[in-house]
Amino acid sequence: MANPARGKTPAGFWASSAEQHSLIEDAQGVIAGSMLAALGVTLLASAHLLIGGTAGLGFLIRYSTGLSFGVVFFALNLPFYWLAYRRLGLAFTIKTFLAVALTSVLTEVLPGLIPIGGINPLVAALFGGLLIGTGMLALFRHRASLGGFGILALYLQEKLGWRAGFVQLALDGLVLSLSFFVATPFTILCSVIAAVTLNLTLAINHRTDRYIVR
């Protein structure tokens, strides 16, 4: 006879349970998600594309002022940590802070380690959007995010049942509307494709009723 307590032991540094990730699993998820997201951002930046959310605002500021994307992205997320702490808990906030910090650092160093030149903007949009979406999916499944609108989208999904991907898609549309001031119509079109690819990846693959591990 199966042991009814099986799979319900508390998770520790290494051992996990059916309901909770272990610390090492969370660390791997945060690092992997940040790496995928940073690579996606690098692809988009190499084609001078934009994206939604705080990353999109970071791109807009970078293209308008020449400031470092990593520094701007990190700073833009600072106001959202209070909402994360109040609504989603200390563990979520810490993991999200680490994910944002690691992504910010990686977006600064990756262009020098992986030089990308002459990439087709449409290809950059599809692969960049998919990579960022997959990275965010990994972070969501380990109770973390890339901050900013991701925190708000995840909070609304948990509280109201709204799909995180669709919520973020709406917010991204607001940010992308600002891109008309700094980009050509073709660049904007490819940026919209990147945003749609990212958010469809989340909307199709992230559902709390299918994936309940914490």
Side-chain angles (χ1 to χ4, degrees):
M1 180 180 297
N3 183 355
R6 184 178 180 182
K8 296 186 178 181
T9 56
F13 179 78
W14 185 266
S16 62
S17 69
E19 293 82 18
Q20 187 176 0
H21 288 295
S22 67
L23 291 177
I24 195 69
E25 288 173 339
D26 277 341
Q28 185 275 334
V30 169
I31 293 172
S34 301
M35 291 173 66
L36 289 170
L39 182 56
V41 168
T42 301
L43 286 176
L44 295 181
S46 69
H48 302 287
L49 300 183
L50 300 104
I51 199 70
T54 49
L57 292 176
F59 276 130
L60 286 172
I61 294 173
R62 176 194 175 189
Y63 296 151
S64 301
T65 67
L67 293 174
S68 162
F69 171 85
V71 173
V72 172
F73 178 65
F74 182 82
L76 286 172
N77 278 289
L78 292 176
F80 290 92
Y81 294 125
W82 177 244
L83 174 63
Y85 173 70
R86 289 292 301 271
R87 301 299 185 182
L88 297 168
L90 180 61
F92 177 91
T93 304
I94 292 174
K95 286 185 284 187
T96 295
F97 178 84
L98 293 175
V100 170
L102 180 56
T103 301
S104 299
V105 171
L106 288 174
T107 56
E108 291 300 303
V109 301
L110 278 180
L113 299 175
I114 311 175
I116 301 174
I119 188 172
N120 183 287
L122 182 58
V123 172
L126 291 172
F127 281 86
L130 180 61
L131 282 168
I132 298 173
T134 304
M136 292 178 68
L137 181 64
L139 293 172
F140 281 7
R141 289 189 171 180
H142 288 269
R143 296 283 295 166
S145 79
L146 283 179
F149 294 161
I151 292 175
L152 182 59
L154 191 57
Y155 168 72
L156 291 175
Q157 173 166 292
E158 294 194 352
K159 293 299 182 181
L160 302 178
W162 297 356
R163 294 283 188 88
F166 292 136
V167 172
Q168 184 138 350
L169 182 60
L171 296 172
D172 287 351
L174 294 176
V175 174
L176 287 172
S177 66
L178 299 174
S179 64
F180 284 93
F181 295 102
V182 298
T184 65
F186 180 68
T187 297
I188 294 171
L189 174 61
C190 290
S191 299
V192 169
I193 291 173
V196 171
T197 301
L198 186 164
N199 289 290
L200 282 179
T201 300
L202 293 178
I204 292 171
N205 293 284
H206 183 66
R207 287 181 54 174
T208 53
D209 58 337
R210 287 180 179 167
Y211 195 88
I212 60 174
V213 177
R214 299 298 185 182

